[in-house]
């Protein structure tokens, strides 16, 4: 090897090339180049202030590091075959620029506290992009909820060649129509038709999970913002460096508490992967339902061509690939978390080379989410809703709970009302009739409490309108959710 590794002194022979390749992390930790240089600039200042290097040496080291920073920016920084990792690569390049003085930079520092610092800096630098992508997806959901709460009547040009549907709406006055024209659909439990809901309520159901993920990222940022640098290899730094000033100069909240913990702590990486897996799970849930809803059997949604793909064999196919991939990648994201947890579980105190594996899943999880989130947001913003299909999928059995409530209003205890309502459903099945086509005699044969007003129970919009308590599906409760979400999104 032309360039010797940073640790060559006690070795007589050079590393076996395959062992070198296995050991090397430059292929992935190159992503932390910027953070590595920033960390080194701060470290040079810390050891200068601690009288480890002179002012002149500090100036030269700093100028060399600034040059590397420029090279990174200009993308002229090149990795050499002997660069084991980003720390070695930066130190090698500094040596090329300022000569032997570069060897003073690593005084009092270890790659153990260095890599932990770089990795935390990388995370702090990149969380905002993920945060922004999460906010955009939340906005897409709220936009859909708002649009589908007061949908504009479709004009002929809105009707897609695949057969969009004419929406028959009550005439709209100025302002809000009170949700009279809102799109309604079956709500499901166990994937069985349960109770009617507003489509907007369904869109909004996916907003708070993403909001929680975003809050988790913000909380994680606070725990990431603890500086390991100045912990040495494991036992601490023998030079009188001011770790509080060092921490401030790099934008961290505080220096780490204990040097042994500082070099081995990867909780933040595992937490990041948990959040990534949780986001993946939330996206998978949306995806699974979109896949179902775009199938011919449901026919509730149609994806825009821009967000679907065809089949190489079957000309008629229009597949929901982005959503299937998202569902699939949710599994991969979970794998990243379990992989790192399994690695951490076996480790004793302080740094072990196993820890080098931490960056691979974190970078992969980050890239996966950054690739997925905008596609999901775009696909949701552009998909076509089929209100008539959705409304037609609501059957009278879905108002069986309302039927029980009707009996409760007439003094029947709920438990009994539930049983009577169940008998009505049974009668409908036996007579092969929807419940609003059973005659009053048939109702009264089941229970004499029934009167003419029973038929009003089967108005799905009425059923929806009744659920007006905070968080419910009634139009005004949904509108309140939209207002709150919009406020939250604009106050960010
Ligand atoms: N490339 C290593 C990593 O990513 C840097 C730390 C190396 N430390 C050591 N003691 N070999 O973890």
């Amino acid at each position: 090897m032309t360039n010797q590794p940073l640790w060559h002194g006690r070795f007589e022979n050079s590393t076996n090339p395959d062992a070198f390749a296995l050991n090397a992390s430059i292929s992935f930790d190159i992503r932390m180049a910027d953070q590595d240089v920033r960390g080194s600039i701060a470290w040079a200042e810390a050891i200068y202030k601690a009288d480890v290097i002179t002012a002149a040496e500090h100036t030269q080291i700093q100028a060399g590091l600034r040059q590397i920073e420029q090279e990174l920016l200009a993308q002229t920084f090149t990795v050499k075959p002997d660069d084991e990792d980003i720390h070695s690569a930066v130190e090698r390049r500094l040596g090329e620029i300022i000569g032997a003085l570069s060897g003073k930079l690593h005084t009092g520092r270890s790659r153990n506290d260095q890599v932990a610092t770089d990795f935390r800096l990388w995370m702090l630098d990149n969380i905002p992009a993920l945060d922004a992508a999460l906010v955009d997806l939340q906005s897409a959901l709220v936009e859909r909820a708002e649009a589908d709460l007061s949908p504009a009547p479709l004009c002929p040009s809105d009707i897609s060649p695949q057969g969009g549907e004419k929406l028959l709406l009550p005439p709209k006055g100025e302002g809000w129509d009170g949700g009279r024209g809102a799109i309604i659909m079956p709500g499901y439990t166990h994937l069985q038709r349960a109770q009617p809901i507003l489509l907007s309520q369904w869109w909004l159901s996916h907003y708070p999970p993403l909001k929680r993920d975003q809050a988790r990222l913000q909380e994680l940022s606070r725990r990431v913002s603890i500086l390991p640098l100045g912990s040495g290899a494991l036992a601490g730094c023998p030079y009188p460096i001011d770790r509080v000033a060092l921490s401030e100069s790099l934008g961290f909240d505080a220096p780490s508490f204990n040097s042994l913990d500082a070099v081995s702590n990867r909780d933040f990486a595992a937490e990041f992967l948990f959040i990534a897996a949780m986001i993946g799970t939330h996206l998978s849930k949306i995806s699974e339902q979109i896949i179902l809803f775009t199938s011919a059997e449901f026919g509730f949604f149609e994806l825009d061509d821009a967000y679907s793909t065809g089949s190489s064999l079957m000309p008629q196919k229009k597949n929901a690939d982005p959503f299937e991939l998202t569902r699939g990648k949710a599994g991969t994201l979970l794998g990243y978390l379990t992989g790192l947890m399994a690695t951490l579980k076996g480790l004793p105190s302080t740094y072990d080379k196993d820890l080098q594996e931490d960056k691979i899943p974190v970078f992969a999880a980050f890239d996966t989410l950054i690739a997925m989130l905008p596609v999901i947001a775009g696909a949701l913003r552009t998909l076509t809703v089929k209100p008539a299909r959705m409304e037609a999928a609501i059957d009278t059995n879905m108002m069986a709970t309302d039927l029980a409530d009707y009996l409760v209003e007439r003094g029947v205890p709920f438990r009994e009302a539930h049983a009577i309502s169940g008998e009505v459903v049974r009668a409908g099945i036996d007579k092969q009739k929807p419940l609003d086509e059973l005659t009053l005699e048939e109702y009264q044969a089941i229970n004499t409490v029934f009167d003419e007003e029973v038929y009003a129970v089967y108005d799905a919009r009425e059923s929806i309108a009744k659920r007006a308590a905070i968080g419910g599906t009634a139009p005004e409760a949904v509108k309140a959710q939209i207002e709150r979400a919009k406020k939250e999104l604009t106050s960010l």
Side-chain angles (χ1 to χ4, degrees):
M1 294 204 166
T2 43
N3 280 313
Q4 291 173 312
L6 299 175
W7 35 266
H8 65 92
R10 64 98 67 218
F11 289 81
E12 279 181 32
N13 300 319
S14 55
T15 318
N16 165 284
D18 294 336
F20 177 84
L22 179 67
N23 200 38
S25 53
I26 188 75
S27 63
F28 50 90
D29 63 22
I30 183 75
R31 287 179 74 153
M32 307 191 305
D34 175 59
Q35 291 76 17
D36 195 73
V37 175
R38 266 159 52 209
S40 287
I41 289 172
W43 183 247
E45 168 142 6
I47 54 174
Y48 159 58
K49 284 193 191 149
D51 284 333
V52 177
I53 55 173
T54 66
E57 288 171 335
H58 176 225
T59 307
Q60 270 197 68
I61 291 175
Q62 200 183 37
L65 290 167
R66 293 266 179 234
Q67 183 177 325
I68 299 176
E69 220 170 32
Q70 288 311 311
E71 291 174 0
L72 286 168
L73 217 58
Q75 299 186 337
T76 55
F77 180 89
T78 48
V79 168
K80 299 266 168 79
D82 294 339
D83 293 336
E84 180 184 321
D85 54 23
I86 185 59
H87 326 295
S88 318
V90 169
E91 201 175 313
R92 187 258 311 147
R93 181 67 191 131
L94 186 64
E96 289 166 4
I97 300 169
I98 66 168
L101 174 61
S102 66
K104 290 202 175 185
L105 171 63
H106 210 55
T107 316
R109 184 176 71 168
S110 159
R111 281 184 298 163
N112 298 353
D113 56 351
Q114 191 179 358
V115 71
T117 302
D118 291 3
F119 198 17
R120 283 170 182 264
L121 276 175
W122 183 90
M123 203 171 270
L124 291 172
D125 287 347
N126 285 281
I127 282 178
L130 197 49
D131 186 86
L134 274 175
V135 169
D136 185 57
L137 179 53
Q138 290 170 51
S139 302
L141 288 162
V142 175
E143 285 161 27
R144 285 256 41 152
E146 193 165 32
D148 296 338
L149 183 63
S150 314
L154 290 178
C155 62
S157 63
D158 289 334
I159 297 173
S160 74
Q162 290 84 6
E165 294 164 20
K166 189 122 183 76
L167 247 186
L168 296 172
L169 293 183
K172 266 171 69 173
E174 280 301 297
W176 193 43
D177 68 353
R180 280 177 302 156
I183 297 172
I184 65 175
M185 68 182 287
Y188 299 85
T189 62
H190 312 263
L191 207 56
Q192 307 288 330
R193 289 176 181 175
Q195 291 176 338
I197 57 170
L198 293 188
L199 171 58
S200 299
Q201 174 79 348
W202 183 78
W203 288 125
L204 289 167
S205 72
H206 299 291
Y207 167 79
L210 298 173
K211 184 99 210 129
R212 293 193 292 273
D213 292 331
Q214 201 193 347
R216 285 184 186 98
L217 273 180
Q218 279 158 12
E219 285 157 24
L220 171 63
S221 297
R222 286 208 302 278
R223 280 188 288 282
V224 180
S225 192
I226 299 294
L227 175 79
L229 199 59
S231 299
L234 74 161
C237 180
Y239 301 99
I241 53 158
D242 179 349
R243 291 195 68 216
V244 173
L246 179 60
S247 157
E248 276 167 14
S249 74
L250 281 169
F252 284 90
D253 287 343
S256 52
F257 174 86
N258 173 286
S259 61
L260 303 189
D261 175 53
V263 296
S264 65
N265 177 9
R266 295 294 186 275
D267 294 8
F268 67 97
E271 277 189 64
F272 178 85
L273 291 176
F274 168 74
I275 297 168
M278 197 74 246
I279 295 171
T281 303
H282 290 145
L283 298 184
S284 184
K285 186 174 188 167
I286 299 175
S287 299
E288 167 62 5
Q289 207 150 358
I290 301 269
I291 293 162
L292 285 171
F293 284 177
T294 53
S295 68
E297 282 67 20
F298 278 86
F300 290 178
F301 293 157
E302 183 179 338
L303 294 185
D304 192 271
D305 284 359
Y307 292 97
S308 43
T309 45
S311 158
S312 60
L313 177 66
M314 298 168 282
Q316 85 284 9
K317 289 297 290 293
K318 185 168 183 182
N319 299 328
D321 288 29
F323 293 99
E324 292 170 44
L325 284 166
T326 297
R327 190 177 55 186
K329 285 176 191 293
T332 308
L333 287 168
L334 175 61
Y336 293 144
L337 170 65
T338 54
L340 182 67
M341 289 298 285
T343 299
L344 297 178
K345 178 199 164 294
L347 299 186
S349 263
T350 88
Y351 183 85
D352 302 272
K353 198 58 176 262
D354 317 44
L355 291 175
Q356 182 166 281
E357 291 291 302
D358 59 358
K359 289 167 283 297
I360 299 171
V362 167
F363 293 159
F366 175 81
D367 292 344
T368 301
L369 291 174
I370 289 292
M372 272 178 355
L373 285 160
V375 176
I376 297 294
L380 297 186
R381 282 192 170 104
T382 54
L383 63 73
T384 307
V385 173
K386 306 292 180 77
R389 280 288 296 212
M390 292 187 143
E391 190 155 350
I394 298 171
D395 64 43
T396 53
N397 281 350
M398 296 182 72
M399 269 67 79
T401 317
D402 302 272
L403 184 63
D405 289 333
Y406 157 98
L407 292 166
V408 167
E409 272 167 41
R410 281 155 184 77
V412 183
F414 179 77
R415 205 31 68 210
E416 204 180 315
H418 184 283
I420 297 168
S421 178
E423 281 179 60
V424 172
V425 171
R426 181 80 253 156
I429 295 168
D430 290 345
K431 298 182 170 39
Q432 298 187 357
K433 284 194 208 171
L435 305 188
D436 58 351
E437 283 178 22
L438 291 172
T439 63
L440 189 56
E441 291 70 51
E442 285 167 330
Y443 273 101
Q444 286 176 340
I446 294 168
N447 198 293
T448 50
V449 181
F450 285 114
D451 56 28
E452 264 305 326
E453 284 170 33
V454 69
Y455 296 101
V457 155
Y458 299 111
D459 182 334
R461 286 187 185 273
E462 273 306 308
S463 165
I464 289 170
K466 275 190 256 165
R467 287 159 172 85
I470 294 173
T473 191
E476 67 262 37
V478 169
K479 194 164 167 49
Q481 292 175 50
I482 291 171
E483 297 311 325
R484 184 173 155 186
K486 281 168 74 175
K487 209 177 280 170
E488 286 172 353
L489 287 166
T490 47
S491 70
L492 288 170

